[in-house]
């Protein structure tokens, strides 16, 4: 024990900056939220589930192709619904920065500040190029009815009721 204490006194910690990948930076996530709401939810606002589904789709080519196929022929159901805690935190920041508002129906909508930021992002052809291209393919095709179909299918295929599991 004495040796451990002696060695512990020799340990020093140096605080070094740790680079954060772009896709985990809060500014990127907020910009992504602005793009998603601006491109796919122009009329009635955006549910948080839709926000998560679209965010996941534009982050992964496989997920995007799966979602596009579902929107085109409605035969392939999206197999995975991911809820990203970092996206949820970004929504909270966007609300705090008064970029988005929550409507009476619980959906998210860009306010004037958010719309201005959306226009700035869309007018800058050097940023978020892949995300913009991906959103063009989805745009207004992903309705809340389609989101409900995805969620129902996902629940039926991927969420197991514990009471059923315990009875087997």
């Amino acid at each position: 024990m004495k040796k451990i204490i002696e060695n512990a006194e020799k340990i020093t910690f140096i605080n070094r900056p740790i680079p954060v990948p772009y896709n985990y930076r809060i500014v990127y996530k907020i910009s992504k939220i602005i793009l998603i709401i601006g491109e796919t939810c122009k009329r009635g606002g955006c549910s948080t589930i839709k926000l998560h589904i679209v965010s996941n789709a534009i982050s992964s080519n496989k997920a995007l192709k799966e979602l596009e196929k579902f929107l085109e022929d409605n035969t392939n159901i999206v197999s995975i619904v991911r809820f990203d805690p970092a996206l949820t935190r970004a929504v909270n920041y966007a609300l705090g920065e008064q970029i988005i508002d929550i409507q009476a129906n619980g959906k998210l909508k860009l306010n004037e500040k958010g719309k201005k930021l959306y226009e700035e992002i869309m007018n800058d052809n050097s940023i978020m190029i892949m995300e913009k291209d991906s959103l063009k393919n989805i745009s207004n095709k992903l309705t809340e009815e389609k989101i409900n179909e995805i969620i129902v299918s996902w629940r039926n295929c991927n969420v197991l009721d514990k009471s059923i599991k315990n009875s087997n």
Side-chain angles (χ1 to χ4, degrees), residues 117-155:
L117 288 169
Y118 169 73
E119 291 301 321
E120 289 177 22
I121 293 168
M122 292 304 290
N123 290 332
D124 189 338
N125 294 326
S126 65
I127 61 171
M128 303 186 84
I129 299 164
M130 292 183 299
E131 293 85 348
K132 290 175 190 175
D133 287 342
S134 298
L135 286 170
K136 285 179 188 173
N137 296 334
I138 299 169
S139 71
N140 293 326
K141 296 176 189 173
L142 188 60
T143 63
E144 286 300 324
E145 290 78 28
K146 295 278 188 188
I147 293 294
N148 289 335
E149 286 178 40
I150 291 170
I151 293 300
V152 167
S153 171
W154 176 71
R155 279 187 189 134

Side-chain angles (χ1 to χ4, degrees), residues 15-150:
N15 191 8
R16 294 196 171 113
I18 300 171
V20 177
Y22 78 94
N23 55 331
Y24 288 111
R25 294 181 186 160
I26 196 71
V27 172
Y28 171 77
K29 292 283 189 184
I30 291 172
S31 299
K32 195 174 181 183
I33 290 167
I34 292 168
L35 278 177
I36 292 169
I37 294 173
E39 283 295 299
T40 65
C41 309
K42 292 180 181 177
R43 288 181 241 142
C46 185
S47 67
T48 54
I49 292 175
K50 182 175 182 176
L51 191 63
H52 281 276
I53 290 172
V54 174
S55 176
N56 181 56
I58 64 175
S59 297
S60 159
N61 284 333
K62 181 183 175 194
L64 180 62
K65 296 292 181 207
E66 194 175 79
L67 182 59
E68 287 173 343
K69 183 162 176 46
F70 169 74
L71 293 173
E72 286 173 18
D73 61 19
N74 207 22
T75 57
N76 185 26
I77 300 297
V78 177
S79 61
I80 298 174
V81 177
R82 295 183 192 270
F83 295 96
D84 179 8
L87 188 71
T88 302
R89 282 191 298 279
V91 167
N92 291 334
Y93 275 99
L95 286 165
E97 289 295 321
Q98 299 175 346
I99 296 169
I100 59 175
D101 293 325
I102 300 177
Q103 298 176 306
N105 62 4
K107 294 183 181 179
L108 304 171
K109 190 162 188 161
L110 294 176
N111 58 26
E112 289 308 312
K113 185 177 179 181
K115 289 176 185 175
K116 188 174 183 180
L117 288 169
Y118 169 73
E119 291 301 321
E120 289 177 22
I121 293 168
M122 292 304 290
N123 290 332
D124 189 338
N125 294 326
S126 65
I127 61 171
M128 303 186 84
I129 299 164
M130 292 183 299
E131 293 85 348
K132 290 175 190 175
D133 287 342
S134 298
L135 286 170
K136 285 179 188 173
N137 296 334
I138 299 169
S139 71
N140 293 326
K141 296 176 189 173
L142 188 60
T143 63
E144 286 300 324
E145 290 78 28
K146 295 278 188 188
I147 293 294
N148 289 335
E149 286 178 40
I150 291 170

